[in-house]
Amino acid sequence: MKKRAYEGFSLIKETETDGFIYGEITDHLHYDDDVGCLTGDGFVQAPDGSRAGVIWQVEDIVSVSVCIEPEEDRWGVYNVWFDRPIKSNADIVHNFRRVLPLLKEAYHEATGKRN
């Protein structure tokens, strides 16, 4: 049986919005700066269970850009800019929901599916 992309990494249930949910690779509570966690790796799971990678950092503007085009086992890897340092689960929920419209558009462009 073929493994799904990012198998073995945890989904953060609190982030679930419109069937999309953030999965964690880098521990978002492991601060890399005095103000919190400013960079990390994760993934997003779509309502259909498909996944895409996320390389994130904190900047002044919420943004998404393609890092790796869609492949057989994932609908791409994206550079994502969050607008808030992460110090708690509430911060990861806030950041995920702020960037989700852009991730939904990336999902649609990569898969041709609308949610």
Side-chain angles (χ1 to χ4, degrees), residues 8 88 103:
S88 68
L103 289 170

Side-chain angles (χ1 to χ4, degrees), residues 91-105:
D91 292 329
I92 193 70
V93 169
H94 164 85
N95 284 333
F96 181 71
R97 289 183 177 159
R98 290 267 296 136
V99 78
L100 185 56
L102 300 172
L103 289 170
K104 284 180 176 180
E105 187 58 34

Side-chain angles (χ1 to χ4, degrees), residues 54-72:
V54 172
I55 303 164
W56 62 266
Q57 64 186 35
V58 174
E59 291 293 337
D60 293 335
I61 188 165
V62 173
S63 177
V64 170
S65 69
V66 176
C67 178
I68 298 173
E69 294 291 331
E71 300 170 316
E72 182 181 328

Side-chain angles (χ1 to χ4, degrees), residues 14-32:
E14 298 93 336
T15 64
E16 188 167 1
T17 307
D18 299 334
F20 288 82
I21 187 167
Y22 178 78
E24 179 173 78
I25 296 173
T26 301
D27 181 354
H28 66 279
L29 297 178
H30 179 76
Y31 297 4
D32 54 9

